[in-house]
């Protein structure tokens, strides 16, 4: 079974599947299950997009997918670009991350059973899923590259000084990759991420960044995003 984790702007795959609330040890997660095509959809900001990135219950979401028997996850993340050549409207397949989050519950290994676990994240994104995403993007002829995702706490956008620093260490900036990718790895789920570039980050473009710019670009990318989701479901 495949899990699709949608982010900002993919509400139109909502009409697929039956809504269910999954109870986990970490809280509840709302999902849409489409038994026919063996797909679970999960909207990380909530079905009505009302949960900000720093308030998402990442542990409940990932545990719910695991409990449902999901073994592969395609995550969709909206991001800003740190590089001129990574243009809004294109895709980035995340292949590594650096994180600056502050208040997120980021592990299933909290030492509860007296067990101390340090997992390997030398390849945080599942290579098989990453290859598949790249292959589907190639087949569709969509513009993409691979890159390092810098994850911030949000919900505010970044300062120019922050972006000047981030562009020396990464390619794209978003607020939702972490801890989702690590939690999936802790549960041995094959997790890959397709990032939709919605804007140039603060100071990279001359205009002031607003959330409407993000929504506008994601709206324009909607058909391409849905095509990739469909391809992955039919694969
Ligand atoms: N910064 C952080 N998160 C984002 C951005 C950005 O510029 N665009 C979309 N998500």
């Amino acid at each position: 079974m495949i899990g699709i984790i949608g982010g900002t702007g993919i509400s139109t795959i909502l009409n697929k599947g039956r809504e269910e609330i999954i109870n986990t040890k970490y809280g509840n997660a709302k999902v849409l299950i489409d038994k026919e095509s063996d797909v679970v959809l999960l909207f990380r900001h909530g079905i009505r997009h009302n949960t900000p990135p720093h308030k998402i219950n990442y542990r409940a979401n990932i545990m719910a997918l695991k409990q449902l028997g999901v073994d592969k996850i395609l995550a969709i993340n909206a991001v800003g670009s740190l590089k001129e050549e990574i243009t809004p409207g294109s895709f980035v397949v995340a292949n590594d991350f650096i994180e600056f989050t502050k208040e997120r519950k980021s592990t299933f290994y909290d030492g509860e059973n007296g067990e101390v676990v340090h997992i390997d994240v030398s390849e945080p994104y599942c290579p098989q899923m990453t290859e598949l995403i790249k292959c589907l993007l190639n087949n569709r002829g969509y513009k993409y590259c691979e890159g390092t995702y810098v994850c911030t706490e949000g919900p505010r956008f970044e300062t120019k000084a922050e972006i000047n620093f981030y562009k020396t260490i990464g390619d794209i900036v978003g607020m939702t990759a972490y801890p989702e990718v690590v939690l999936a790895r802790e549960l041995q789920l094959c997790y890959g991420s397709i990032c939709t570039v919605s804007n140039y980050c603060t100071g990279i473009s001359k205009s002031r960044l607003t959330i409407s710019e993000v929504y506008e670009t994601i709206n324009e990318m909607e058909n391409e995003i849905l095509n990739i989701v469909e391809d992955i479901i039919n694969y």
Side-chain angles (χ1 to χ4, degrees), residues 179-194:
E180 205 173 84
V181 55
V182 169
L183 293 169
R185 186 135 199 107
E186 285 187 347
L187 297 187
Q188 291 165 346
L189 302 172
C190 177
Y191 177 104
S193 156
I194 180 167

Side-chain angles (χ1 to χ4, degrees), residues 78-81 152 157-158 173-175 198-202 209 214:
V79 294
S81 165
T152 63
F157 288 125
E158 300 72 40
V173 180
M175 304 174 192
S198 57
N199 56 280
Y200 282 120
C201 288
T202 309
L209 175 58
V214 172

Side-chain angles (χ1 to χ4, degrees), residues 80-83 98-102 148-154 156-174 201-202 204:
S81 165
L82 290 165
K83 304 277 157 77
I98 300 177
E99 59 97 7
F100 296 91
T101 63
K102 297 186 174 85
T148 297
Y149 186 124
V150 179
C151 189
T152 63
E153 180 72 352
R156 66 171 177 83
F157 288 125
E158 300 72 40
T159 65
K160 286 185 202 160
E162 285 170 329
I163 292 301
N164 274 335
F165 168 52
Y166 293 156
K167 73 183 178 198
T168 67
I169 58 170
D171 302 293
I172 46 175
V173 180
C201 288
T202 309
I204 305 262

Side-chain angles (χ1 to χ4, degrees), residues 41-57:
L41 301 174
L42 192 155
F43 295 89
R44 68 165 79 75
H45 297 283
I47 286 177
R48 267 159 288 284
H49 201 281
N50 51 7
T51 310
H54 64 296
K55 287 279 176 76
I56 293 169
N57 189 341

